[in-house]
Amino acid sequence: MSVVIVVGAQWGDEGKGKVVDLFTERADVVVRYGGGANAGHTLVIDGKKLVTHLVPSGVCHPGKSCVLGDGMVIDPLTLLEELAQCQARGLLAHDELLIGLGAHVILPYHKLVDGLREDRGAKQGRAIGTTRRGIGPAYEMKAARRGVRVRDLLRPERLADKIHQNLDDLGPVIEHLGGTRPTEREVQTWIAEAVAAGERLRPYTGDAGRHVANAIARGQHVLFEGAQGCLLDLDHGTYPYVTSSSTIAAGACQSAGIGPTQIDAVVGITKAYATRVGEGPFPSELHGEAGDRLRKAGGEFGATTGRPRRCGWLDLPALRMGVRLSGMQSLALTKLDVLAGMPDVQVCVAYKLDGRELDEPPTDPDDLMRAEPVYTRLPGWGTLPSDAHDITDLPASARAYVETIERMAGVPFCLVSVGPDRSETIRLHDPFA
Ligand code: IMP
């Protein structure tokens, strides 16, 4: 029996889709544990692209149980669209998807408030750069104990009551932010849509926590799929430039309602360089041509919003923080091939701040904005062999890069990805073993 958590070690978009897909071969149950349609995975099945935002990346393996945990915030209309796309490809039969009844629901007014706040923030130079998918407002309502949950979709009267209560709270906020308070007619349409979505989703809903706990008790392999990355964690990330959920490994236990004693392994995923979407400090960011080159080579455009991602050199202080926050025992390195063809590559090994050298990001965001990266320069490498199956198959300088990161992050690699294909992977250690 193995219970493994896979988590992004940076600011999200580390290539979790490919790694989760590979690990799912070994799993019986795959659980998405936080966030909502702010995440995006591009999966390629039989040469056809499938972009998922809510459904776990394990969806490509028929026969596996895919769970949306209670810690998520789910947009029911987006989920129905994804479900239809998956089922058109013969994926996600009825008994392969379980939606936690305790998960919260994103409704049109959450997205409206998210967008209005971002527009206002942009004018005042204070935008977060959210995905505008309503994530923050939905988690706010949850914390205020006014949220709408999946179980409410199945009880139309309670749902209507909650939606009216929410809009009673949010109406003045919407007006204050320059929006127009929704009319009763609009509200009725939203309620009707939510009720209809609930009816269609009803067969997939259930007690997700119990389902996961039972699977663990039966000795099945369970894989928790983190969304976003550790540095976007609400409590420990680069606040306020974070998402509104617990993205670190501990969030998996919280969302599924299982104890930390049940977890066997935590695997972090890091790209061979760094990216960030939205606003917030990013000390190793590359501007101009150097950043453009990485963006183009790595296809660094958001799967959810299409926004160009900010790109930079690998940031070891940030990575060390991710390793610490999630208790990672191993790392998966992705997109090593993207750095191929550079005369040399750099790694940010520390920050300098007020004459001191720091091995992890300072906790105050204004200090992090001022922190100067300290770089080490390493020789570059040419094209990587796509059939590399062992670390010794890599050119010496690529190997030296991998070993340097491993040594300086203090955690061994379990996998190195040298291309987008499943086959372009060096597997060093099986976390389910
Ligand atoms: P929100 O989660 O939409 O509220 O956005 C908050 C911050 O998290 C913004 O900087 C987003 O760009 C970032 N973010 C949210 N989801 C993802 C993701 O899946 N990958 C990378 N960044 C994300």
Side-chain angles (χ1 to χ4, degrees):
M1 180 267 281
S2 286
V3 181
V4 177
I5 301 174
V6 171
V7 71
Q10 299 162 301
W11 285 279
D13 308 314
E14 295 91 352
K16 288 186 286 295
K18 172 176 170 176
V19 177
V20 170
D21 177 54
L22 288 170
F23 288 169
T24 301
E25 285 167 8
R26 302 274 281 122
D28 302 296
V29 181
V30 188
V31 188
R32 171 83 195 268
Y33 67 80
N38 46 351
H41 297 305
T42 306
L43 305 161
V44 182
I45 308 162
D46 297 333
K48 282 192 192 151
K49 253 196 199 177
L50 173 68
V51 179
T52 67
H53 300 282
L54 292 163
V55 170
S57 313
V59 64
C60 303
H61 297 260
K64 311 283 175 176
S65 167
C66 290
V67 179
L68 304 188
D70 286 348
M72 289 186 69
V73 283
I74 298 172
D75 182 334
L77 301 183
T78 305
L79 181 55
L80 281 170
E81 270 170 36
E82 265 177 46
L83 203 54
Q85 282 179 34
C86 291
Q87 291 181 340
R89 289 168 165 78
L91 303 168
L92 274 191
H94 262 185
D95 58 348
E96 289 172 1
L97 176 67
L98 181 63
I99 307 163
L101 282 163
H104 280 247
V105 173
I106 295 204
L107 291 156
Y109 50 88
H110 295 119
K111 291 191 265 192
L112 176 65
V113 171
D114 197 357
L116 288 170
R117 281 209 187 118
E118 279 298 288
D119 291 342
R120 191 180 168 90
K123 282 186 203 138
Q124 299 171 341
R126 286 192 294 105
I128 302 286
T130 74
T131 58
R132 298 174 180 247
R133 296 298 189 267
I135 308 298
Y139 277 118
E140 280 170 41
M141 299 305 265
K142 170 179 169 170
R145 292 155 298 175
R146 290 185 174 83
V148 175
R149 304 172 98 183
V150 170
R151 62 175 77 257
D152 299 318
L153 293 179
L154 311 179
R155 308 230 179 164
E157 268 184 35
R158 191 164 77 193
L159 177 73
D161 189 43
K162 284 196 163 197
I163 290 182
H164 277 114
Q165 204 190 339
N166 278 189
L167 284 163
D168 203 37
D169 282 348
L170 288 177
V173 175
I174 292 170
E175 279 176 351
H176 172 72
L177 291 170
T180 312
R181 204 190 269 246
T183 61
E184 183 55 27
R185 204 186 156 127
E186 268 177 294
V187 176
Q188 287 303 333
T189 308
W190 292 344
I191 294 171
E193 274 173 5
V195 170
E199 270 320 302
R200 290 174 63 195
L201 293 173
R202 185 188 287 273
Y204 303 95
T205 57
D207 185 340
R210 197 71 191 266
H211 176 77
V212 174
N214 287 345
I216 296 173
R218 278 198 301 275
Q220 292 192 301
H221 287 334
V222 178
L223 178 64
F224 284 97
E225 171 182 339
Q228 292 84 40
C230 292
L231 278 291
L232 289 177
D233 183 82
L234 178 62
D235 292 296
H236 305 286
T238 48
Y239 192 91
Y241 302 102
V242 293
T243 188
S244 298
S245 61
S246 181
T247 60
I248 58 174
C253 295
Q254 186 79 25
S255 172
I258 60 161
T261 47
Q262 306 278 9
I263 308 300
D264 294 302
V266 178
V267 180
I269 307 186
T270 174
K271 263 195 284 225
Y273 49 97
T275 61
R276 172 161 207 166
V277 203
E279 303 304 319
F282 183 9
S284 66
E285 181 169 11
L286 286 168
H287 299 277
E289 245 177 59
D292 289 344
R293 191 216 159 272
L294 258 186
R295 192 170 306 111
K296 197 163 163 226
E300 298 294 353
F301 297 88
T304 299
T305 57
R307 287 183 290 180
R309 296 179 184 141
R310 298 157 66 191
C311 296
W313 296 119
L314 183 66
D315 181 329
L316 278 169
L319 181 58
R320 283 186 203 109
M321 185 165 156
V323 166
R324 173 174 62 79
L325 289 172
S326 282
M328 293 166 196
Q329 294 133 316
S330 63
L331 283 167
L333 181 68
T334 61
K335 293 195 154 185
L336 185 63
D337 52 302
V338 171
L339 297 180
M342 295 188 173
D344 51 33
V345 286
Q346 297 189 55
V347 191
C348 167
V349 293
Y351 301 141
K352 260 210 173 124
L353 182 71
D354 299 330
R356 285 182 306 138
E357 198 160 292
L358 308 178
D359 64 349
E360 274 198 19
T363 49
D364 191 291
D366 289 343
D367 288 342
L368 184 53
M369 290 281 193
R370 293 191 299 117
E372 280 175 42
V374 178
Y375 289 112
T376 285
R377 195 180 287 268
L378 294 160
W381 53 86
T383 314
L384 297 178
S386 57
D387 60 349
H389 288 298
D390 192 272
I391 209 81
T392 53
D393 295 334
L394 296 178
S397 44
R399 220 161 58 224
Y401 184 73
V402 173
E403 285 163 4
T404 303
I405 301 169
E406 205 168 43
R407 194 179 66 252
M408 298 191 89
V411 185
F413 283 117
C414 62
L415 178 157
V416 176
S417 170
V418 294
D421 234 74
R422 280 165 160 228
S423 59
E424 294 170 305
T425 309
I426 301 173
R427 299 188 195 216
L428 300 164
H429 162 70
D430 176 4
F432 282 101

